[in-house]
Amino acid sequence: MSKFLECIGVGKIYPGKTEPVEALRGIDFSCGAGDFVCLLGRSGCGKSTLLQMVAGLERPTAGQIVVAGRALDGPSTATSIVFQDHGLFPWMTVQKNVEFNMKARGTKAAERAEIARRFLDMTSLSGFADRYPHELSGGMRQRVGIARALTTDPKALLMDEPFGALDAQTRGKLQDELLQIWAQQRTTVLFVTHSIDEALLLADRILVFTPRPGRIAADIKVDLPRPRAPQSAAFSVLARDLRGLVGADREID
Amino acid sequence: MLRRHILAAAGATLAAPAIVSRDALGQTLRKVKMGSAFTTTTNAAFLMPALLKPEGIDLELVMFPSLVQRMQAVASGDVDIGNGGLSATMQVATKGFPMQVLANGCDGGWMVLAQPSIKSFQDLKGKKVAVQNGSIGLVSLNWKLKQEGVFGQVDMAFMDNQDQPVPLMRGDVAAICCFEPYAALAELNGWGKRLWVPYDSPMGKTNLGFVASSAFVKKDPELTKKMVAAHVKATKEMASNPSIAIETTIKQFKMTKEVAELSTKNLFFSADSGPAFTNGLKALAKMMLDDKMLEKEPAWDEFLNLGYA
Amino acid sequence: MQLRRAWGLLPLALLLLAWELAVQAKVYPSILLPPPTKVLMVFVEDWQIVLGNALASIGRVTVGITLSFLFAVPLGLMIGRYQLLDTMTDWSIQIFRSIPPIALIPLALLFLGIGDKPAIALIFLAGTWPLLINTIFGVRNIERTLIKVARAARASEFLVMKDIILPAALPAIFTGLRLAVGGGWLTVVTAEMIAVKSGLGYMILNAQLTFRSDLIIAGIIVIGGIGLLADQAVRRVRAHVCRWQEGLTASPE
């Protein structure tokens, strides 16, 4: 498996209010291009922090992150990130929002419009190009966020609990759509979640995080056939194993 | 004599509006408020509380920032008696609020200074002159400009007296028609030379008077008599002893001794309310009518009540 | 204008009634409180004087507040964005904003002379502080995620300022503008004490000296009326420019 993304001895210590906080320690893993990897764990175990570091928004205090053969020194053109609170600019239309990442790259206006339209189609948002974010539902806003992330043709799509704020039904739809997009685009996906079922539904590989300090406790390969069948026995067995690894807290599903 | 001792003590207690406490003579004192304004011409007022104490009057001086505000207070019913600018008093009286002039207060107190390059009023054509709007200074200035044939060719810059020296220094205005002690300040700093000593107009040196609302006088002629008497005495004291005025100017206006002395030379404390005074007053009224600062002349019989002086 | 809005006239009508009654009962000397009819005659007979002076004042305030805007908004955007600038300027701002314009007249005379220049300078100062402070506030309150989106997309500083910081701060800037227009208008009477020969402030001061209380009150009424119109105008502009703002349409425009 070719190493597309590599974390070597990555650690993160925050100064903290009263004393330093060690958010992550000794993170070592790598994944190949096109893999769908979930970072799974309860809140506070550093999985979001790691994602932000892969996105170049934070720097590790120890170790190194290598993306597409280059050590990271800030945000990379090879990655795009999707946030849980969508991060759409309220004063821009959906179209302009989707075009933003390209604009930041210097892509010309006509080309931007064209590409944006393509990804709006892909995320079933064609009719909403001229709407403002406040006119859209939560699920649609996340679609816009995803479309925007895809416009720069990222090698890795980083997703920070993107569906956490949505109701179960919308979440289900978006999970399906995401899998379709992934099947089509074949980007690497790093997906942070605290939901075991979601991880099993989406990922080829699950990294289980435990807190204080954040560490990778387990690296599980998910061999279940796609499309995933949550009712199947194999699914339940894996889910039970994961529950044990993740910890005592009941997960919201 | 007892009175002379009191006057000597008064010289030492200057610069504070005197709220005199119950005196050792054991009389019950009657509280009276008297209005005045924060100008050099009203210095005599500070002597009055001490003069009135033996008369059984506890005098409270109420000071206003300007003579105009002082008159506005009169019209609203407070401090019915006291110092008043005579031009403002006439305006109030002719607008339905009967006032009476009881005595002269202080003559003079203003000066026209100009930049050294200005040699005559002709040189002021097309230039600016700073003057306080609505003041006696403005009335005298208008008259002079008409006399010199340059009225309408000189631009008025309306400003308060204390603001006038700086524009003169900067050259924003070519001349100022300014009241003491700011005129003396400008002169001593070399910012302006005397262009015109403004007392040769028909109104002469008429400036300040001791005035009261007609209602006040009618209500209590005895009190009025005492107040006017004290005013006249205080004014005479001021006239004979400039050091009191100089001291007050230094303390109240934070001026140097030189400025205080020069400005006091331009103040003519006089309670003389004879024909010179009344003629000056009537001339002032005519000049104000010309300038449209007055709508009609006051009813002189009602307006002038100089018998007490 | 909705009928409901007409209720706003009720306090004013009551005030008018109280005024008329006070005059009838001769509570105050007519030299100080003229009857409403006398004030009305000012608008009938002297309307040209009132209009001319109103236009002069409006002119000064417009120039002063425009200068405020051009100075305070860019400065505020930068102070809000760069922490170092904020640390450097905070104390100065707090000190100078507390100084009432009337206290600055002697300094204005010294530095700027007489006439329109110092008058406009005072109005400029009155308008600058609310605009500056509100702009800074607007920048500070930008949702963090939006900044992260921009960073992750490697947007240039210029693009961030133009497409994100400025539009995000616009609602707050408009609040500042409302306050600035109000403050500048409030200052116009003070400002016109410095040897100007026109304007509502000048008209009122002149009327005080000549005991023309009808002009004073007429001037006050016009000042209040223009203040109201100016405020309404700014609100409308804001409602249009910031129409993307969620919840804005909930408040009356």
Side-chain angles (χ1 to χ4, degrees), chain A residues 52 56-58 75-77 81 83 85-92 100-101 103-104 132 134 141 148, chain C residues 142-143 145-146 148-156 159 162-165 167-168 243-247:
Chain A
Q52 306 253 329
L57 293 173
E58 302 232 25
S76 151
T77 51
I81 184 165
F83 295 97
D85 50 355
H86 59 78
L88 300 184
F89 303 118
W91 51 88
M92 294 187 197
F100 181 79
N101 288 10
K103 192 172 179 190
Y132 286 97
H134 75 86
R141 290 182 204 167
R148 175 173 67 188
Chain C
I142 296 179
E143 222 189 296
T145 307
L146 299 182
K148 284 190 192 168
V149 168
R151 274 179 57 211
R154 296 158 52 115
S156 70
L159 186 66
K162 182 170 83 76
D163 279 14
I164 300 179
I165 307 281
R243 60 188 177 279
W244 49 261
Q245 200 179 24
E246 200 172 0

Side-chain angles (χ1 to χ4, degrees), chain B:
Chain B
M1 286 287 288
L2 188 64
R3 205 166 270 170
R4 218 168 270 150
H5 285 305
I6 292 174
L7 283 176
T13 58
L14 271 179
I19 300 180
V20 182
S21 56
R22 289 177 175 271
D23 79 324
L25 298 176
Q27 294 174 308
T28 46
L29 295 173
R30 179 180 171 185
K31 281 188 186 298
V32 175
K33 278 195 205 176
M34 181 179 124
S36 188
F38 198 59
T39 74
T40 45
T41 47
T42 54
N43 272 319
F46 296 120
L47 295 178
M48 287 181 63
L51 287 171
L52 285 168
K53 209 168 50 171
E55 300 286 337
I57 292 173
D58 177 0
L59 188 69
E60 183 188 340
L61 276 181
V62 181
M63 299 299 275
F64 294 86
S66 76
L67 283 171
V68 172
Q69 285 197 20
R70 151 92 193 88
M71 296 316 294
Q72 285 169 342
V74 166
S76 70
D78 287 330
V79 284
D80 297 332
I81 186 169
N83 288 320
L86 287 164
S87 55
T89 307
M90 283 202 279
Q91 284 172 325
V92 171
T94 52
K95 287 202 197 253
F97 197 84
M99 299 286 298
Q100 292 188 340
V101 176
L102 302 169
N104 195 358
C106 177
D107 288 335
W110 76 101
M111 188 65 69
V112 175
L113 302 170
Q115 294 199 302
S117 57
I118 304 288
K119 300 283 186 256
S120 74
F121 272 81
Q122 303 302 318
D123 295 338
L124 287 176
K125 271 193 273 197
K127 294 205 160 62
K128 289 190 167 67
V129 177
V131 63
Q132 183 166 39
N133 199 359
S135 67
I136 270 181
L138 178 62
V139 180
S140 65
L141 183 67
N142 282 339
W143 177 86
K144 181 68 172 176
L145 291 175
K146 285 177 194 153
Q147 287 284 306
E148 295 280 333
V150 295
F151 186 78
Q153 292 167 339
V154 176
D155 200 10
M156 303 286 186
F158 293 130
M159 310 173 59
D160 286 348
N161 293 303
Q162 73 269 20
D163 291 332
Q164 290 179 19
V166 168
L168 183 65
M169 172 195 81
R170 278 177 48 109
D172 295 320
V173 297
I176 62 175
C177 179
C178 188
F179 281 74
E180 300 296 351
Y182 303 104
L185 179 75
E187 195 176 351
L188 277 174
N189 275 303
W191 298 332
K193 277 186 158 62
R194 289 190 183 189
L195 181 64
W196 180 47
V197 180
Y199 308 133
D200 54 354
S201 76
M203 64 179 243
K205 297 196 180 99
T206 313
N207 184 359
L208 190 78
F210 197 74
V211 305
S213 65
S214 304
F216 181 90
V217 176
K218 283 198 178 70
K219 201 177 72 171
D220 200 338
E222 268 305 305
L223 178 61
T224 308
K225 189 161 168 216
K226 286 188 184 162
M227 304 270 307
V228 175
H231 165 78
V232 169
K233 276 206 168 55
T235 306
K236 286 202 171 110
E237 180 66 27
M238 272 291 174
S240 67
N241 189 0
S243 65
I244 299 171
I246 293 170
E247 281 300 310
T248 325
T249 303
I250 294 174
K251 278 213 184 69
Q252 290 279 36
F253 294 86
K254 310 283 188 285
M255 292 287 166
T256 62
K257 193 152 184 290
E258 290 75 30
V259 173
E261 282 174 352
L262 183 61
S263 65
T264 306
K265 288 203 177 84
N266 197 16
L267 296 169
F268 308 93
F269 295 100
S270 165
D272 175 18
S273 311
F277 176 60
T278 47
N279 285 337
L281 205 50
K282 288 182 178 166
L284 173 62
K286 278 217 169 46
M287 288 160 81
M288 285 173 71
L289 277 168
D290 278 343
D291 286 343
K292 307 231 182 331
M293 283 169 71
L294 206 59
E295 285 165 1
K296 58 182 186 202
E297 286 194 23
W300 296 111
D301 302 330
E302 251 291 310
F303 190 60
L304 294 171
N305 191 352
L306 304 163
Y308 296 99

Side-chain angles (χ1 to χ4, degrees), chain C residues 105-148:
Chain C
I105 287 181
L107 284 178
L109 279 174
L110 184 59
F111 297 137
L112 297 165
I114 60 178
D116 274 334
K117 268 213 223 120
I120 290 175
L122 289 182
I123 294 169
F124 164 80
L125 279 177
T128 290
W129 306 118
L131 267 172
L132 186 60
I133 291 169
N134 275 281
T135 304
I136 296 174
F137 175 79
V139 174
R140 288 272 174 67
N141 278 299
I142 296 179
E143 222 189 296
R144 259 122 142 273
T145 307
L146 299 182
I147 304 289
K148 284 190 192 168

